[in-house]
Every structure is written in structure tokens, then in C-alpha cells.
Amino acid sequence: MKLSEKLITKVTGVNKRGSIIFLHGFPFDQNMWNAQVEFLKDDFLCVTYDIRGLGKSSPGDGQFTMEMFADDCLTIIAELELEKPVLCGLSMGGYLGFRVLERAQEIFTAAILCDTRAESDSDAAKLKRANGVRQINAEGVEKFVEGFVSNCFSEKFKTEHAEEYNVYLERSKKSNSLGVKGCLLAMQGRTGTTLFLPQIKIPTLLLCGTEDNLTPPAEMKEVADKIPNSKYLVVPEAGHMTPIENPEFVNKAIKDFLSGLR
Ligand code: MLT
């Protein structure tokens, strides 16, 4: 079985103006990009998949590294024979995205990074991951996911779009506990990519929600300042999950960015 099948890869749309590979955040799955795929599919071949251990992909033995995630992304690009795709990642998908760029930026046309960071985990963040694993073992994955996902969205979104919020929450609560713990440890053990940022040559768009408490706008601005050919936009009325919370703004920003490329 091909890796793209194992990781439930979906290919949507037509390649009139290129292809885009989307990398989702934690503890979500490829559905977090639905609004962007719907918006871009008439012009772009949109590729989404469930990162190892999340969504409907199998957790296997639950032993993941960010390097395995990067290997997976590069393998899927090769299996689908994507020619110079645009890479688009959010948060954990951004950690993975930066690492993939560090390994092979020449195979991409451009990059879009949302609500993410290039620094590796601080000691405090590492201890928080360890507490996450402890909580999942003691109380179960649902309890952990409830707390985590709540922090990902702005209060406004949770109140005004309660139904949509619950769809994402309930989907994440169904995550496999081994897979979620594996992802926590993969993020905990990842390398930092800050020193690589000045070497990014391809056009890069960075987006961050005004109310993102997990990867705050000021930190993303510092990342953008280090990337030579970059554009940085703050997404109004959004927390950490900008593509879900303000799809109109994010879709337009992506469309404008992609239009400027060719
Ligand atoms: C994500 O949205 O992928 C997570 O917030 C990443 C993290 O926990 O560092």
C-alpha cells in the first residue's frame, strides 16, 4: 500500500495554476483546510492528508519524530508526482513545513505558514508536552483534547460559531491516544529552524491570528523578519486556527499571494 493511501491523502481540484500541499495542525486532521480547498480547487490541485497518528491515519506503534513527518510529506509529493507545489502548513504543520523546506526548498514554488514558529520547544513547553502525555494516560485523550482545542480558538469564535467549533472539537476528541501522544513527543523532540530562516529563497506568506495565544503575532513577525522574500499579515478576528476562524481573510490573502507568483 502506498504511503499516500495509508495517510488518507485526498486530491481535489484541477491543476490550472499549480498544486498545493496542505499540512494540518495538532490535534486536528486534514478537514481543517476544507474552506481553503473549496475556494482554491477550481485553479489548483489541492492535496491534503492526515499526518501520522491523527485523523484517520493509523497510529502504528505511536513512535513518531518530526523527521518521519518530513519524510512522509516528501514521499507523498513524490508518489503524486507533484511538480513544484506550494507548501501550506499551520502550527505543527508549520514546524513540519519549515523542516521540509530546510531539507528541500528547491522542490517548492512558494510557502504559506500560518500560526506557527521556527523555535524548538522551550524547557517549559517540553514539560507541558510531558504533562499532556501524563494527562492522557491518567484521564484519557478526550479530556486532554478538550482543554487543548479550547485554547486554539478565540472566545469570539467559540461563542459565535459554537456549532462549527463543536464539529472540530468532537472530531479531535475521537483521536487515537497513542497517535496524540506520539505527536506530542515528535513536537517535543523537533529541532529548531530559526537559523535556516534567512536561507529561505522562495516567496513566503506568513499569517497569524490577532488573538493567537499559542504562537502570538509578535513572535511570527520575528520569524517573517528573518525570511528575505516574505510577506506577513495579521488575520483579524481569529485565534490560532486562522483558516477556520476567518476563512474569508485567509482565502483572499492566499489568493493574492499566489496571483503575485506567476
Ligand atoms: C498546533 O496547532 O499544531 C499546536 O498548537 C502545535 C503545538 O502544540 O505546538
Side-chain angles (χ1 to χ4, degrees):
M1 193 190 212
K2 282 186 166 179
L3 182 76
S4 45
E5 289 164 36
K6 273 194 196 155
L7 300 186
I8 331 291
T9 306
K10 288 191 191 134
V11 180
T12 315
V14 284
N15 184 348
K16 281 192 201 155
R17 299 181 45 216
S19 59
I20 309 175
I21 183 153
F22 291 91
L23 307 170
H24 65 79
F26 166 92
F28 301 94
D29 65 16
Q30 60 185 303
N31 285 294
M32 62 148 288
W33 295 112
N34 285 349
Q36 286 64 50
V37 170
E38 191 53 34
F39 181 74
L40 295 161
K41 70 178 189 321
D42 291 341
D43 288 318
F44 292 90
L45 196 74
C46 298
V47 176
T48 56
Y49 67 93
D50 288 343
I51 289 173
R52 235 171 239 269
L54 294 175
K56 294 196 164 56
S57 73
S58 158
D61 63 7
Q63 310 275 307
F64 312 141
T65 62
M66 197 55 66
E67 290 313 292
M68 281 165 76
F69 293 163
D71 291 343
D72 289 347
C73 176
L74 293 168
T75 302
I76 288 176
I77 291 170
E79 282 181 4
L80 300 181
E81 298 181 5
L82 301 180
E83 208 184 310
K84 289 254 177 190
V86 172
L87 177 147
C88 179
L90 177 134
S91 200
M92 183 182 79
Y95 310 157
L96 158 62
F98 278 132
R99 186 65 191 112
V100 168
L101 292 179
E102 197 172 33
R103 282 171 57 173
Q105 65 168 309
E106 65 287 350
I107 71 162
F108 296 97
T109 295
I112 302 165
L113 282 319
C114 311
D115 305 270
T116 191
R117 61 164 55 89
E119 289 286 310
S120 55
D121 273 6
S122 63
D123 282 352
K126 283 181 182 156
L127 290 174
K128 221 169 162 187
R129 306 277 188 215
N131 271 330
V133 172
R134 191 181 283 134
Q135 187 188 10
I136 294 169
N137 286 340
E139 300 171 44
V141 72
E142 291 200 3
K143 195 91 184 133
F144 167 80
V145 163
E146 253 168 38
F148 195 96
V149 168
S150 177
N151 283 331
C152 291
F153 290 85
S154 67
E155 291 308 319
K156 186 170 155 55
F157 185 83
K158 285 187 281 186
T159 313
E160 293 179 10
H161 300 268
E163 213 173 301
E164 195 182 350
Y165 170 70
N166 275 318
V167 170
Y168 283 98
L169 176 62
E170 290 307 316
R171 204 182 272 137
S172 288
K173 276 164 71 177
K174 292 201 181 82
S175 303
N176 181 288
S177 69
L178 199 57
V180 171
K181 287 189 283 185
C183 288
L184 281 169
L185 296 177
M187 288 191 282
Q188 188 192 49
R190 75 188 190 276
T191 58
T193 47
T194 306
L195 292 177
F196 163 67
L197 299 177
Q199 294 166 44
I200 298 182
K201 305 268 186 317
I202 55 176
T204 305
L205 172 67
L206 296 111
L207 301 172
C208 187
T210 34
E211 285 145 63
D212 185 341
N213 297 321
L214 299 181
T215 49
E219 200 177 328
M220 270 213 88
K221 167 91 171 61
E222 281 178 27
V223 170
D225 286 345
K226 293 190 173 77
I227 303 177
N229 190 4
S230 70
K231 184 180 164 99
Y232 171 65
L233 292 174
V234 173
V235 181
E237 298 192 30
H240 185 60
M241 300 306 292
T242 48
I244 299 171
E245 294 182 73
N246 195 341
E248 295 80 15
F249 186 98
V250 169
N251 289 349
K252 184 175 180 322
I254 293 178
K255 188 178 174 197
D256 292 349
F257 173 69
L258 296 177
S259 302
L261 294 179
R262 294 185 183 89

